[in-house]
């Protein structure tokens, strides 16, 4: 419960976003496919989950769209999903 409102709170969705520091953490099956020196230009998303009570509201699509917009704003040029 939220102590301020005394209302029950629940997590509707969650997503893990990574900015890997090493090619082997890039999410690519073969990190050698990554252009040399581009590790700083990659973002990886994993564990995208939407609670069953909140499905059908396009939450996953909205989270992925926001992830790609934030990554682009941060100068990322490559995106991978695990």
């Amino acid at each position: 419960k939220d102590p301020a409102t005394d209302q029950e709170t629940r997590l509707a969705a969650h997503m893990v976003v990574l900015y890997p520091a090493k090619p082997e953490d890039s999410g690519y099956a073969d990190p050698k496919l990554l252009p040399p020196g581009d590790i700083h230009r990659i973002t990886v998303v994993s564990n995208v989950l939407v609670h069953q009570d909140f499905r059908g509201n396009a939450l996953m699509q909205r989270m992925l769209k926001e992830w790609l917009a934030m990554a682009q704003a941060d100068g990322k040029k490559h995106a991978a999903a695990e």
Side-chain angles (χ1 to χ4, degrees):
K1 286 192 173 191
D2 182 342
T5 63
D6 200 38
Q7 292 182 341
E8 189 172 323
T9 58
R10 299 188 304 166
L11 181 65
H14 127 123
M15 180 172 70
V16 175
V17 174
L18 306 169
Y19 286 176
K22 301 180 289 185
E24 55 269 21
D25 298 331
S26 68
Y28 282 79
D30 183 354
K32 295 175 194 150
L33 296 175
L34 181 65
D38 266 10
I39 190 64
H40 67 284
R41 300 175 77 181
I42 290 180
T43 180
V44 179
V45 67
S46 67
N47 299 316
V48 182
L49 306 168
V50 176
H51 190 281
Q52 65 185 11
D53 292 347
F54 298 94
R55 292 183 184 152
N57 294 308
L59 286 175
M60 183 182 294
Q61 290 174 340
R62 289 166 42 196
M63 288 190 307
L64 291 172
K65 185 177 179 179
E66 186 63 26
W67 160 57
L68 292 173
M70 288 187 316
Q72 185 176 26
D74 285 343
K76 304 304 178 190
K77 302 294 180 193
H78 308 283
E82 292 185 321

